[in-house]
Amino acid sequence: MARRKTGTTLPAPYLQRLALLPDRVPDPQVYPFNLPWLRDGSFELEFTTPVTIIVGENGTGKSTLIEAIAALSGYDEAGGGKGYNAVDHEGALDKSGGGLAVALRAGWLPKVTAGWFFKAETFFSVARYLDDVALTYGGTPPDFLSWSHGEGFVRFFEERMGRQGIYFMDEPESALSPKRQLELVHLLHRIQTSARAQVIMATHSPILMAVPEARLLEVTRHGIVPIAYRDTSHFKLYQSFTADPEGFIADALRDADDGIS
C-alpha cells in the first residue's frame, strides 16, 4: 500500500482568511461578540504573509482572537498541540476564544493540520504534560523545564517551529529578555523568508513587531487594520523612553499623580 503523503509543497500562509458568520452569533451584546471589531457583523480578516503579528492595548481582544483562530484550527485554547489537554478547564480559565471560534469560518489553501499553540501563561503546564506523556509511553522527556524560563522558551520554539505547520503564539515575550527576543526574531524571519510555516502571533514587544516583511495588524476600537511598527503606540512609547529616560519617567509619574488627585 502506498504511503500516505503528508505536508504540502505550497508556500505559507495556509490559513488565508477568516469571516464572521452572523447567524452563529448567540448574543451580540455578550463578550466576546460585543468586541468593537465584531459589532457590525461584517468582520473579515486576510492573512497574506507567512508571519502575521497582531498588536493592541490590553482589553482590545487580540488574545481572544488568537485563541479563537487556534480553536477553529483544532487546538485546545489553553495551548499545546492537537489532542493535547494539558490544562484543566474547570478553573478560572477564560473560554471566550473558543466561544468566538464557533461563529468564524476559515479559508485554507491548503489546510495544514500540524502545528502548535503557544501560550506563555500555560507553558509550564504544557511542558509537564509533555514530560508525563513521554514517561508514560517509555520515551525520553523533552525536559524543557530544566532550562531557565527564557532558555526553555527559545529551545521549545526552535524545536517545534522548525517543522512545516501553523503556529499560534500569545505574548511569547513574557519570559524573554531583549536578547532572547532577538533570537525569536531570527527564527520568525527564517519562517517569513522560507514560507515553510505560518505564524500568527499577538505581542506587546516592539522588538518582535519588527520582523522584516511580516504583516503587522493593530486591533483598535474601530477594527483591525495594517500598521507599520514605527507607528504603533508601543514603539512610540519606547522611543520616547530611550530618547530621555529620566524626563520620560518624571512625566509619567507626574501624570499619574495628577490622575490620583
Side-chain angles (χ1 to χ4, degrees):
M1 184 171 67
R3 186 176 180 180
R4 185 178 178 182
K5 184 178 179 180
T6 60
T8 178
T9 59
L10 292 175
Y14 310 119
L15 175 62
Q16 298 195 343
R17 64 185 57 85
L18 286 176
L20 182 70
L21 300 172
D23 59 330
R24 294 189 185 178
V25 174
D27 187 344
Q29 303 303 316
V30 174
Y31 190 86
F33 301 102
N34 63 353
L35 285 166
W37 41 274
L38 289 172
R39 282 179 185 160
D40 66 1
S42 61
F43 169 75
E44 290 187 0
L45 188 61
E46 291 189 349
F47 299 94
T48 58
T49 53
V51 177
T52 302
I53 301 169
I54 299 173
V55 303
E57 289 300 323
N58 291 333
T60 55
K62 65 184 184 305
S63 290
T64 297
L65 178 59
I66 293 289
E67 289 178 0
I69 303 172
L72 185 64
S73 303
Y75 295 86
D76 187 274
E77 64 196 271
K82 284 198 174 179
Y84 285 50
N85 293 289
V87 177
D88 184 358
H89 287 281
E90 294 182 359
L93 183 68
D94 184 359
K95 303 271 292 185
S96 59
L100 175 57
V102 302
L104 294 177
R105 179 181 64 211
W108 298 82
L109 188 64
K111 185 168 185 178
V112 172
T113 58
W116 196 269
F117 179 21
F118 175 84
K119 293 187 73 171
E121 63 196 74
T122 60
F123 176 75
F124 288 104
S125 296
V126 173
R128 292 189 188 98
Y129 177 85
L130 291 174
D131 287 344
D132 291 343
V133 169
L135 290 171
T136 298
Y137 292 98
T140 301
D143 196 22
F144 292 110
L145 298 181
S146 291
W147 300 69
S148 74
H149 203 176
E151 288 175 325
F153 274 34
V154 172
R155 180 168 173 255
F156 180 86
F157 297 150
E158 290 175 341
E159 178 179 311
R160 296 285 166 171
M161 296 171 66
R163 312 166 190 173
Q164 185 179 70
I166 184 166
Y167 300 92
F168 306 96
M169 308 179 80
D170 189 14
E171 300 182 9
E173 72 275 9
S174 63
L176 300 179
S177 69
K179 181 179 178 181
R180 296 296 183 190
Q181 290 182 44
L182 287 174
E183 292 179 27
L184 180 54
V185 167
H186 185 254
L187 174 58
L188 293 172
H189 183 237
R190 288 207 310 265
I191 291 172
Q192 173 64 31
T193 302
S194 69
R196 281 279 296 163
Q198 181 174 5
V199 175
I200 302 173
M201 175 178 69
T203 184
H204 289 295
S205 167
I207 294 176
L208 297 184
M209 293 177 197
V211 176
E213 305 303 322
R215 188 174 187 225
L216 192 62
L217 300 174
E218 183 178 34
V219 183
T220 72
R221 294 187 60 82
H222 306 291
I224 301 177
V225 295
I227 189 171
Y229 79 92
R230 288 180 176 271
D231 294 331
T232 64
S233 59
H234 304 72
F235 178 86
K236 291 179 179 178
L237 185 146
Y238 276 79
Q239 186 178 46
S240 296
F241 171 76
T242 55
D244 180 13
E246 292 80 10
F248 178 90
I249 295 299
D251 288 344
L253 293 176
R254 184 166 49 253
D255 290 344
D257 290 340
D258 289 345
I260 293 174
S261 60

